[in-house]
Amino acid sequence: MELKGEKIQRTLSKYKFRDVAIEELQKIERIYPGMVPSIDTYTFSDSAQKDLLKLLGNLPVKYEGRSYNFPIQLWLLDSFPFTPPICLLRPTSNMVVREGKHVDAGGRIYLPGLHNWDYPKSSVVGLLNEMTAKFEEEPPLSAKPAGGEKDPHELLAFVSNLKMKDAGVRHHDQPAKKVSVIGGGDLGMASVMSILSKCNVDKLVFVDVAESSTKGGSTDLEIFNLPKVEVSRDFSATAGSWVVVVTANSWSSEQSYASVVQTNVDLYRGIVPNLARLSPNAVMLIASQPVDIMTHVAWRQSGLPPTRVVGIGCNLDSERLTHALNINLNTFKAAWVIGELSDNKVAVMSSTPLNTNAPPEIAPGSSSTKPLLDRGLEMLKNRGQRSWSVGLSIADVTNSVLKNKMKTHSVSTLAQGWGGIGAEVFVSLPCMMGANGSTRLAGVSLAQEDEAKLKSSVSSLCTLIGQLRV
């Protein structure tokens, strides 16, 4: 690997662990000699820029006995190798990215090895090996359609007659619709009953987590033997779920708030990775508290793409707000509560009327919409979130996933890059929910007061997540 160039040496001199980084690069060259280093400018989601070392190359992948090359690029941050690289596909002009379990629509690669990076146990060589194995299961690129062809997922650009499943979209020959609810107590029971009432499921698995302080909801389900419901204490019963709802909480008597939340994080460590392994194509819907933090934790621990891990967040408040505005103020537009599930919540409105086929968009903040939204939020005061109402909200989002409705819900999602948010943080944003998970609506400019609230939430959430051992 050519590391003697003046520009590369100058950039490497700014790396915090230069000597260790060079050792790692030499290991990469021995095993993957085709990965070529260069220096380029990386633009972060907050528009900040930095000159970084970049590795470009083709990853050899075998599929059905034949070898193919997948073009990739790895950006090495200046704290490498103690932080993982940013991994991206770099499709040629006649290729398109196939969004799936390990690749988002922009071509960014998500792997368990990235989320669980722990140098020196973790290495780029190990990451590339893992990437090869995952791409052999689900090739991440396909041919760009030519002329009148409508299906961009039919063939890889360089593979003849290679058949692949659409990323995460279920076919009629796949297993029955299955939903799993994890965690006993009132919210777990409310979720089970609401999903059974609203959603067309073939099977609902209810796992009562023994370590959770919310346990105890499973006995009555066993006694009355509800149709389609399986009560289990074994996570293996959840295998093949389309949606996995996690309601478990494990609060402690610790003095500090961070210590209290840490008990929930520790509980998740024994739950979430197992659920993701058993249902790798599922949408994971988090309802544990604090929901924004626990959704962030679940995403990190699961190794799933951020589009497949969402929190129930402000969906209930959003549905209530839309109803209040339509009934009392005749707005006939959807409204969403966004931000942290706290007093810093912010309201936004759709730019398109309800019951139209126009794609949903968030209307920019204006002097005409803010008084309406503020009045709507005032109507919601003192309307607490009872377990049965949250259960109905969970069923509403679950139904959108099962039916691939692409209905817009305000759910807790990875907000990095939205509206100028540069931090890796989860807050509620309007997202279209379907079989492949969440798709965020584009960000808009907010009123100064609302933007300040959102920034305050981002700051406090970042501080708390930084205090936790995830």
Side-chain angles (χ1 to χ4, degrees), residues 71 102 104 121 158 197-198 208 220 247 277 377 389 444 470:
H102 304 294
D104 68 15
K121 295 178 183 178
F158 41 78
S197 298
K198 186 175 180 65
D208 197 347
D220 291 336
T247 68
R277 176 177 56 82
L377 287 176
S389 55
V444 295
V470 177

Side-chain angles (χ1 to χ4, degrees), residues 45 97 195 200 242 280 299 304 315 321 330 367 378 416 423 448:
S45 55
V97 174
I195 291 170
N200 181 20
W242 290 26
W299 170 59
L304 296 174
N315 184 64
L321 178 61
N330 299 317
S367 57
E378 190 67 29
Q416 194 171 39
Q448 186 174 359

Side-chain angles (χ1 to χ4, degrees), residues 67-262:
S67 295
Y68 307 99
N69 292 319
F70 290 84
I72 59 171
Q73 59 183 354
L74 276 58
W75 291 88
L76 307 183
L77 300 177
D78 58 6
S79 50
F80 174 81
F82 289 90
T83 52
I86 297 170
C87 303
L88 301 164
L89 290 166
R90 50 183 189 93
T92 61
S93 60
N94 62 337
M95 300 178 188
V96 291
V97 174
R98 299 183 67 251
E99 185 176 5
K101 289 186 295 184
H102 304 294
V103 179
D104 68 15
R108 184 157 181 174
I109 299 167
Y110 297 90
L111 296 169
L114 287 169
H115 298 297
N116 303 319
W117 186 271
D118 183 16
Y119 181 82
K121 295 178 183 178
S122 302
S123 68
V124 170
V125 170
L127 193 66
L128 292 173
N129 291 339
E130 181 185 16
M131 200 179 296
T132 299
K134 298 301 183 185
F135 289 174
E136 285 176 351
E137 296 172 3
E138 186 178 340
L141 294 171
S142 63
K144 184 175 291 185
E149 295 179 12
K150 296 182 179 180
D151 183 7
H153 304 302
E154 194 171 3
L155 295 176
L156 288 174
F158 41 78
V159 182
S160 177
N161 299 319
L162 177 59
K163 298 179 181 179
M164 297 177 291
K165 294 180 181 178
D166 291 339
V169 178
R170 282 79 176 183
H171 297 270
H172 62 273
D173 59 340
Q174 289 185 307
K177 289 183 179 179
K178 181 178 179 179
V179 175
S180 293
V181 177
I182 315 301
D186 290 343
L187 181 54
M189 290 291 288
S191 300
V192 169
M193 297 302 181
S194 298
I195 291 170
L196 287 175
S197 298
K198 186 175 180 65
C199 306
N200 181 20
V201 296
D202 298 300
K203 188 173 186 178
L204 194 152
V205 175
F206 183 54
V207 179
D208 197 347
V209 182
E211 296 83 359
S212 171
S213 61
T214 59
K215 66 178 182 295
S218 60
T219 303
D220 291 336
L221 285 176
E222 288 180 307
I223 292 172
F224 291 100
N225 193 25
L226 291 183
K228 300 183 179 181
V229 175
E230 175 187 347
V231 179
S232 178
R233 289 168 181 80
D234 187 345
F235 288 128
S236 63
T238 68
S241 295
W242 290 26
V243 180
V244 177
V245 180
V246 185
T247 68
N249 287 295
S250 181
W251 301 113
S252 73
S253 57
E254 295 288 343
Q255 295 301 310
S256 72
Y257 183 56
S259 297
V260 172
V261 177
Q262 183 66 52

Side-chain angles (χ1 to χ4, degrees), residues 15-29:
Y15 274 54
K16 300 173 184 177
F17 312 102
R18 175 183 176 277
D19 293 343
V20 183
I22 290 175
E23 288 181 10
E24 286 300 303
L25 290 167
Q26 290 170 343
K27 291 177 186 177
I28 297 168
E29 184 198 16

